[in-house]
Amino acid sequence: MSQNSLLAKDHFLLGTFATNCGGGMTVSKLPERWQATWENNLTLARLLDDAGIDFMLPIARWVGYRGETDFHGYVLETVTWATALLAHTKNINIFATVHTVANHPVVLAKQIATMAQMSGNRVGLNIVAGWNKPEYDALGLDLPNDHETRYGYAQEWFDIVRKLWDHEGRFDWEGKYFTLNQVHGDPRPDCHPPIFNAAGSGQGRDFASSNANFLFTPAMELERSRKEVVELKQMAADKGRNVDVMTFSHVICRPTQAEAEAEWQRMLDNADTDAVDNLVNLQFAHAHSFPHELLEQIRERMTVGHGGFPLVGTPEQVADKICALHEAGFRGTTLSFFDYVKEFPYFRDEVLPILKARGIRQ
């Protein structure tokens, strides 16, 4: 079986995050905040493709975080978004982010196989087992209180998807959550797409280390991250698997440090505080992604970059921080910007050459 190109790359991976969401990753009331229109996403995808960026990763949302801006209330659906962008690009991998509870595995398996065929196997799958209770309420679903149930469902869901990709002919399925009769996968992808999963709880990390190619975790303090990356990779190795650890970052890159820091402060001064409160409270109530003892630091980072590691400073300083993530053991990071189309070209022209000269990018 052939291999997806993302899995074959040996440099530090870079991708973008949440370009399909209104506001991107910054919870801001500023009128010039990111507008997640199709036109903006298409323009950005072509810029990223030409620049050699490795992937685009969307957020799947069904309700926003309210507040004055209803942050993430406007979101392009990710399977449709990814399919369209794959048709307009040549090299970049583009992921669909899929909630297991809202997407039937037989339907999803065929969607991914179709996307793989039309794109030359450049599609990826980001699996979300579920944590956002207002979304469950909006869809008329119950969010299980225990992570064991959420991930038990996700495991059976993904087992069905994989069997549809691998099995020739029809099969029945009698499980705890699904009963299927004479289903089959046709077409099937030439190779399994790369699997992303973000996990903070013990059950979540057990799921990711058993199923994903890349496990996402926040980088709050790099010394903490060094130990965490080793532990997560060992968890997978104990299962006979190789899983790489990724993180996510927010970029404010300017010619001077003072300009970059002023922009960080401008984001804080113009935050949609009600939406930030809702975002932080939901993360702490239903997800275990962030260390709770770092609440104040988390709140600032949630405001400016949805909790992403801050890549703030001059091009040299931003490159230094990306190299620090690499040295901490991360396999790559996502990048978000306040305005992706406006800011990415400066990052492309000033930061990417530094990373290439340092040997962590091709």
Side-chain angles (χ1 to χ4, degrees):
M1 181 176 278
S2 59
Q3 187 180 43
N4 174 276
S5 62
L6 190 69
L7 298 174
K9 292 179 178 179
D10 59 5
H11 60 231
F12 188 79
L13 299 173
L14 295 176
T16 56
F17 196 16
T19 71
N20 66 314
C21 299
M25 295 287 272
T26 305
V27 195
S28 173
K29 295 187 291 185
L30 289 166
E32 65 269 31
R33 63 187 178 272
W34 174 247
Q35 301 299 314
T37 62
W38 165 245
E39 291 78 8
N40 280 343
N41 274 271
L42 179 57
T43 298
L44 178 63
R46 287 170 168 163
L47 287 171
L48 300 172
D49 202 27
D50 290 343
I53 296 300
D54 300 296
F55 64 90
M56 296 179 74
L57 175 64
I59 287 180
R61 283 282 171 272
W62 305 106
V63 297
Y65 292 104
R66 301 186 183 276
E68 182 178 322
T69 62
D70 192 25
F71 180 64
H72 284 185
Y74 179 98
V75 176
L76 299 176
E77 191 280 319
T78 72
V79 173
T80 312
W81 172 89
T83 304
L85 289 180
L86 286 166
H88 285 279
T89 53
K90 297 179 180 179
N91 300 300
I92 193 169
N93 283 258
I94 301 179
F95 281 72
T97 295
V98 173
H99 291 86
T100 57
V101 72
N103 296 268
H104 196 282
V106 177
V107 176
L108 182 279
K110 189 176 287 288
Q111 287 173 321
I112 294 293
T114 303
M115 296 159 77
Q117 186 176 124
M118 61 168 285
S119 67
N121 299 312
R122 290 185 291 115
V123 64
L125 174 61
N126 179 34
I127 299 174
V128 181
W131 61 272
N132 191 330
K133 190 175 187 304
E135 290 189 325
Y136 276 70
D137 294 342
L139 297 174
L141 302 169
D142 292 324
L143 175 66
N145 290 324
D146 62 296
H147 280 63
E148 290 86 355
T149 301
R150 296 185 215 174
Y151 283 102
Y153 181 95
Q155 186 63 67
E156 185 172 332
W157 182 95
F158 190 49
D159 287 343
I160 293 168
V161 170
R162 278 190 297 207
K163 185 162 185 176
L164 286 161
W165 286 341
D166 292 335
H167 184 79
E168 292 188 18
R170 301 176 182 276
F171 63 90
D172 295 334
W173 185 278
E174 283 283 347
K176 182 175 181 180
Y177 302 101
F178 293 94
T179 300
L180 308 176
N181 181 37
Q182 291 294 287
V183 293
H184 70 114
D186 191 9
R188 292 180 291 141
D190 295 331
C191 59
H192 281 202
I195 304 298
F196 282 178
N197 184 245
S201 68
Q203 296 88 347
R205 291 183 167 187
D206 181 61
F207 175 86
S209 60
S210 299
N211 300 284
N213 303 106
F214 301 95
L215 187 161
F216 272 86
T217 190
M220 298 303 299
E221 297 173 335
L222 291 190
E223 280 308 308
R224 179 197 293 259
S225 292
R226 289 179 189 275
K227 298 175 184 177
E228 185 179 27
V229 168
V230 171
E231 291 170 358
L232 291 171
K233 290 183 72 66
Q234 187 59 52
M235 182 184 295
D238 290 344
K239 300 174 182 177
R241 302 189 72 248
N242 176 37
V243 175
D244 286 312
V245 183
M246 304 273 281
T247 194
F248 51 102
S249 305
H250 187 74
V251 181
I252 301 179
C253 188
R254 299 293 187 272
T256 69
Q257 182 179 351
E259 288 175 281
E261 290 176 350
E263 182 68 359
W264 177 276
Q265 189 60 49
R266 188 170 80 101
M267 297 300 106
L268 293 177
D269 293 342
N270 291 277
D272 184 343
T273 54
D274 289 340
V276 174
D277 287 342
N278 292 333
L279 176 57
V280 171
N281 291 339
L282 275 169
Q283 285 282 344
F284 277 72
H286 300 293
H288 296 166
S289 299
F290 293 92
H292 288 208
E293 67 270 20
L294 301 176
L295 178 58
E296 192 54 42
Q297 183 184 28
I298 290 168
R299 184 180 177 81
E300 274 206 12
R301 292 191 185 183
M302 281 286 189
T303 300
V304 180
H306 210 294
F309 185 76
L311 302 176
V312 180
T314 66
E316 194 80 24
Q317 289 170 322
V318 169
D320 288 344
K321 292 172 183 177
I322 292 175
C323 288
L325 291 172
H326 173 66
E327 291 163 6
F330 288 107
R331 181 69 174 78
T333 186
T334 63
L335 307 169
S336 59
F337 301 84
F338 179 63
D339 184 328
Y340 294 83
V341 169
K342 182 179 178 181
E343 298 178 56
F344 173 73
Y346 185 69
F347 179 91
R348 174 197 64 201
D349 295 343
E350 301 296 330
V351 179
L352 289 182
I354 299 173
L355 299 178
K356 184 176 180 180
R358 295 185 185 183
I360 72 167
R361 292 283 298 175
Q362 296 173 353

